[in-house]
Amino acid sequence: MKAAGLLHAELSRIVASLGHGDTVVIADAGLPVPSGVPVVDLAVAPGVPSHLAVLRAVLGELVVERGLANAEQSTVVPEAAAALDAAWPDDVPLERIDHETLKLRSRSARAIVRTGEFTPYANVIVVAGVPF
């Protein structure tokens, strides 16, 4: 049994299988999942697990090149946008894009990780980087 890091076997496998430029979406409970994109459903109850808790766990194990987050979050739920900015690595670009564009880009994700988050627009596309 793993003692640290991602303990969820399916999520750990997906993160380990990502190559440079591959994407994974860490999503709130309501993001629509495009047909054909695998879902890792972690949602247990409203807020459990939180979007930021899952994002932090993934960021702890993945080399990240950049991220794409909902622009609408900054105006609709500014405190959530600030919390995302605080959790995001300082040396990794985080671009804000509109929700419709984020949904379109999620079609090519290797997986969507559904959290129990009920905060509007709590979605991030994480783009895998390389460690060299």
Side-chain angles (χ1 to χ4, degrees):
M1 177 178 162
K2 286 181 72 175
L6 290 174
L7 300 180
H8 191 279
E10 185 181 6
L11 182 53
S12 183
R13 180 191 58 76
I14 287 168
V15 168
S17 72
L18 295 175
H20 184 219
D22 285 342
T23 61
V24 63
V25 181
I26 312 300
D28 60 28
L31 185 72
V33 177
S35 180
V37 177
V39 178
V40 177
D41 195 342
L42 303 179
V44 175
V48 180
S50 73
H51 179 260
L52 288 179
V54 174
L55 179 63
R56 285 185 186 107
V58 170
L59 292 175
E61 295 211 6
L62 180 64
V63 176
V64 179
E65 181 173 284
R66 64 191 175 100
L68 305 164
N70 281 118
E72 291 87 347
Q73 189 180 48
S74 297
T75 54
V76 175
V77 194
E79 62 278 4
L84 172 60
D85 289 340
W88 193 257
D90 291 334
D91 59 339
V92 178
L94 179 63
E95 179 184 350
R96 300 284 179 166
I97 60 175
D98 68 84
H99 190 59
E100 289 306 312
T101 301
L102 188 135
K103 289 192 295 186
L104 287 173
R105 289 196 178 189
S106 70
R107 292 179 182 173
S108 62
R110 293 283 302 276
I112 293 179
V113 181
R114 182 173 172 259
T115 69
E117 188 63 59
F118 271 33
T119 302
Y121 303 111
N123 305 293
V124 178
I125 298 175
V126 179
V127 182
V130 292
F132 52 86

